[in-house]
Amino acid sequence: MSRYAEAIRRELAKVIVGQQALAELLLTAILADGHVLLEGVPGVAKTLTAKLLARTLAVPFSRLQFTPDLMPSDVLGTAIFRPAQGDFEFRPGPIFASVVLIDEINRAPAKTQSALFEVMEERQVTQDGTRYPVPAPFVVLATQNPVEQEGTYRLPEAQLDRFLFKLTVGYPTVEEEVAILQGHHAGFGGTPLEAVQAVITAEDLRLLREQVRRQHVEPKLLEYIARLVGQTRAHKGLYLGASPRASLALLNGAKALAALRGRDFVTPEDVQYLAPMVLRHRIQLTPEREMEGQTADDIVKQILQQIEVPR
């Protein structure tokens, strides 16, 4: 497991400066069979990192740019009438790929967002009463800009809940930015994007996911996860807590992270590390806490301090 992870890190490092934690979390989500929402200001390599990660996997890839005039059929596909046969033929849309990169996901209206509900949860598209399964594996990597609100639509809570992680992509450090400038000045470091090679096949990924599912988890850790998520429903600073889907996401994510870090068992530290990524988009603060300037991550940190850690 760690051998594959190191191979992917090496490939990404050919182009990306820094962002090691982001790459690890993206790979964790893929091993846990989950989707990822990437949030950050323009220019911090959200799309580039997702696109390069997809290149390290030898699976079909597609990219969608969400816009306000995008229709559900532009995403899912449409039925085309065939005069010779006198019937309709379904033409699959770009969602029928193993890794789907959706740029600016909050640019599309609710009608188009709703087209993603079924496929993200059930890995299938239903068209005219017929079910069409998407390829396995299937992962959606979506990006959004947190500062520009003009021409955007808030994602429905039901859709946010379908993302395993919400990752915030920050600015690079001064040292990393200097390295970016040096590489750009030298002609992108002399390494074109095509230099990134696929290191994991679909079969490799299936076997790795099987290994993740076999990870050992102590019963007291399952109770710890349940208590953490349950506390979001009782916290006075929240008016919307996390659902049982969050508990499952935290469990699956922790198992994948442990495997990625070379262990066959999950520790409380795995759960604590992933808790903000799993919970931040599934909880909503009360207006009073928002006016005080608190964030979802602040509340998650408080909850982690309140719940006793199993040993």
Side-chain angles (χ1 to χ4, degrees):
M1 180 76 72
S2 52
R3 174 170 60 89
Y4 285 109
E6 187 54 41
I8 287 177
R9 289 190 189 101
R10 280 199 305 270
E11 292 299 316
L12 294 180
K14 293 178 180 178
V15 178
I16 297 288
V17 175
Q19 304 287 27
Q20 286 91 352
L22 174 63
E24 181 184 57
L25 288 166
L26 284 171
L27 190 52
T28 299
I30 289 173
L31 291 175
D33 195 17
H35 312 296
V36 180
L37 179 61
L38 293 160
E39 185 175 270
V41 297
V44 290
K46 302 185 301 295
T47 301
L48 180 62
T49 304
K51 189 164 63 174
L52 291 177
L53 181 68
R55 288 187 67 89
T56 65
L57 309 175
V59 295
F61 169 76
S62 71
R63 178 178 176 179
L64 276 160
Q65 183 71 48
F66 269 26
T67 55
D69 61 348
L70 200 71
M71 297 296 290
S73 58
D74 298 326
V75 178
L76 304 179
T78 187
I80 305 295
F81 182 68
R82 300 186 297 181
Q85 289 78 14
D87 61 3
F88 287 87
E89 178 189 20
F90 179 67
R91 297 284 177 85
I95 201 70
F96 284 84
S98 286
V99 179
V100 181
L101 172 59
I102 300 177
D103 256 333
E104 302 271 12
I105 190 171
N106 55 340
R107 293 269 173 211
K111 186 175 183 180
T112 303
Q113 298 295 350
S114 66
L116 296 173
F117 279 34
E118 180 187 16
V119 70
M120 287 179 68
E121 182 66 19
E122 302 174 36
R123 273 46 175 193
Q124 66 177 26
V125 171
T126 303
Q127 189 85 4
D128 297 328
T130 304
R131 295 188 182 93
Y132 301 94
V134 292
F138 176 73
V139 177
V140 172
L141 306 176
T143 70
Q144 70 176 18
N145 175 359
V147 293
E148 189 181 7
Q149 302 305 319
E150 187 175 343
T152 64
Y153 301 83
R154 180 178 172 82
L155 297 186
E157 298 304 328
Q159 184 179 1
L160 284 172
D161 203 30
R162 282 162 166 76
F163 284 102
L164 182 78
F165 296 153
K166 179 183 178 183
L167 307 180
T168 53
V169 186
Y171 292 110
T173 64
V174 173
E175 292 78 11
E176 289 170 346
E177 196 151 359
V178 169
I180 291 169
L181 292 170
Q182 289 172 339
H184 183 76
H185 180 62
F188 207 65
T191 309
L193 301 187
E194 288 71 22
V196 176
Q197 302 295 320
V199 293
I200 295 182
T201 65
E203 179 61 18
D204 291 333
L205 192 53
R206 187 187 67 79
L207 294 173
L208 291 173
R209 284 179 171 178
E210 283 292 329
Q211 185 178 333
V212 166
R213 279 190 280 271
R214 292 195 300 267
Q215 290 287 90
H216 177 70
V217 185
E218 291 283 345
K220 59 185 178 181
L221 261 183
L222 297 177
E223 184 179 347
Y224 180 55
I225 291 172
R227 287 181 180 276
L228 281 177
V229 176
Q231 187 62 26
T232 65
R233 303 162 200 159
H235 198 284
K236 293 180 179 178
L238 299 174
Y239 78 85
L240 176 67
S243 71
R245 188 184 276 146
S247 302
L248 294 172
L250 197 48
L251 172 63
N252 293 333
K255 288 164 71 174
L257 183 66
L260 203 54
R261 291 180 172 178
R263 286 182 275 108
D264 60 359
F265 59 92
V266 176
T267 67
E269 289 72 26
D270 296 326
V271 176
Q272 292 169 337
Y273 178 67
L274 293 179
M277 295 77 165
V278 170
L279 296 175
R280 62 168 60 117
H281 57 297
R282 292 182 161 97
I283 59 178
Q284 285 192 11
L285 278 66
T286 59
E288 294 80 15
R289 291 300 175 95
E290 286 187 342
M291 288 176 66
E292 291 170 5
Q294 289 198 331
T295 64
D297 284 9
D298 294 332
I299 300 293
V300 173
K301 188 176 179 181
Q302 291 174 18
I303 291 173
L304 286 170
Q305 291 170 346
Q306 292 169 0
I307 305 297
E308 184 181 355
V309 180
R311 294 297 175 194

